[in-house]
Amino acid sequence: MSVETRLLIPTQAGLDDAAAILQRGGLVAMPTETVYGLAGDARNGAAVAQIFAAKGRPHFNPLIVHVPDMALAMQIGVFDDQAAAIAAAFWPGPLTLVLPLRDDAGLAPLVTAGLGTVAIRIPAHPVAQALLRAFGGPLAAPSANPSGRVSPTTAAHVMQGLGGRIAAVLDGGACPVGVESTILGLAGAPSLLRPGGVPAEALETMLGPLVIATNAEKPTAPGQLASHYAPGAAVRLEVTRPDPGEIWVGFGPDCAGATMTLSATGDLVEAAAALFQTLRAADDLTGAEGSIAFAPIPDHGLGRAINDRLRRAAAPRG
Ligand code: TXA
Ligand code: MG
């Protein structure tokens, strides 16, 4: 699947074009002060699934949600006094806060990988700010590079890596900071989840010594990201004939009798967008004694990330 990737310049017309693409569920690479981000509507599950597809990411990790101002940030995350003070001191800027997710945030569950927390950032870059305002909503945006490659700091880098895979790149010149944002976890004890553009020492003058929790960056083993949503029910994979009483989650047209489906047509983008709410819905139906059986999912494209997540859900728990 190849598309023509437009190079847009940040005039009002270019910003309006970029915002229209995002409103249609398309992807736009946008400059921020740290690195270029691959932006999609954080409320649109299919748009978020396309972000993972374009990057070729073999797993779903939670993404950072970018907002233009505190008013929108407070519609998404729960800010206590400490979080509000940190936000006032460092936003807009290269800092991301992980906060409890509001029940009524309206984000696609894929953005947070089904977690009860959300990573939020108000970027300072004028072009990112202008795009967020033109779009008028939250944008999920990981770095705009293919999975496993270095983060891009110019529009040309983005074109080299993702040209042909996304609708547009908004050219805002070179990113001034050049490394990703610092990620500060404030959902529990303040912890440094990723070092980045804001020095940890600057945060520690306000918060005291930070817990260093860099493992949360790369959850490799099932359960390593402790708060990751795991169903209470048992999970079986690649099931073409479910046991009696089992909840069967289908994929594709050959699953007559399935209780629910990730995608009746076998569309991997649709399946990725539905994954986390389906896990939760199936779990609610079965209860802890029950079992959820997933039909086979092809192991290519987004199917790799879906299967990675399902294997974690199916892994034995301690
Ligand atoms: O500088 C940046 O932060 C860039 C620019 C584009 O803003 N964005 C960026 O996004 O690096 P991303 O999505 O690649 O960073 C996501 C990181 C992941 O390592 C993820 O584990 C962590 O943020 N993260 C996101 N939500 C989280 C959560 N609820 N709990 C813990 N970690 C979270
Ligand atoms: Mg990255």
Side-chain angles (χ1 to χ4, degrees):
M1 185 182 67
S2 183
V3 297
E4 194 196 329
T5 301
R6 296 169 65 194
L7 187 64
L8 300 172
I9 51 169
T11 57
Q12 194 58 51
L15 290 164
D16 289 346
D17 284 350
I21 290 167
L22 292 165
Q23 270 141 15
R24 289 196 298 270
L27 304 185
V28 175
M30 68 169 177
T32 81
E33 69 273 37
T34 58
V35 300
Y36 275 73
L38 180 55
D41 185 347
R43 301 159 302 193
N44 178 335
V48 178
Q50 294 285 8
I51 292 176
F52 289 100
K55 286 182 65 87
R57 239 187 214 177
H59 55 89
F60 296 125
N61 60 340
L63 304 179
I64 295 173
V65 177
H66 297 69
V67 292
D69 52 36
M70 267 315 276
L72 193 44
M74 288 167 64
Q75 290 177 27
I76 290 172
V78 179
F79 286 77
D80 62 11
D81 290 347
Q82 187 179 57
I86 292 286
F90 292 96
W91 278 350
L95 178 69
T96 295
L97 299 182
V98 174
L99 301 173
L101 174 67
R102 280 180 64 128
D103 290 337
D104 58 354
L107 300 182
L110 193 56
V111 172
T112 55
L115 297 172
T117 54
V118 60
I120 308 176
R121 166 160 122 79
I122 301 181
H125 197 289
V127 177
Q129 276 284 333
L131 181 62
L132 282 161
R133 285 174 200 285
F135 173 65
L139 290 173
S143 54
N145 52 283
S147 185
R149 308 266 290 279
V150 296
S151 296
T153 53
T154 67
H157 292 168
V158 180
M159 275 292 183
Q160 281 160 21
L162 296 179
R165 297 200 219 170
I166 62 176
V169 180
L170 188 56
D171 189 352
C175 302
V177 176
V179 297
E180 274 101 339
S181 61
T182 300
I183 304 182
L184 176 65
L186 289 179
S191 57
L192 184 70
L193 299 176
R194 179 176 77 184
V198 168
E201 293 79 1
L203 299 170
E204 287 184 323
T205 59
M206 286 180 70
L207 296 169
L210 289 171
V211 178
I212 312 288
T214 43
N215 263 357
E217 255 285 287
K218 287 205 181 83
T220 48
Q224 190 174 325
L225 188 58
S227 50
H228 224 287
Y229 179 73
V235 174
R236 300 200 305 131
L237 305 182
E238 304 197 35
V239 175
T240 49
R241 277 208 265 143
D243 294 337
E246 211 171 25
I247 298 287
W248 191 30
V249 182
F251 177 85
D254 300 328
C255 297
T259 321
M260 55 185 82
T261 182
L262 287 174
S263 167
T265 57
D267 177 344
L268 287 168
V269 172
E270 185 181 35
L275 180 62
F276 288 98
Q277 61 266 50
T278 303
L279 267 173
R280 213 169 270 274
D283 199 26
D284 289 346
L285 270 179
T286 43
E289 301 304 309
S291 165
I292 308 169
F294 281 85
I297 314 283
D299 207 35
H300 59 78
L302 281 175
R304 286 171 64 205
I306 295 170
N307 284 323
D308 170 77
R309 185 65 191 83
L310 290 179
R311 277 192 294 272
R312 288 169 200 273
R317 295 159 216 148

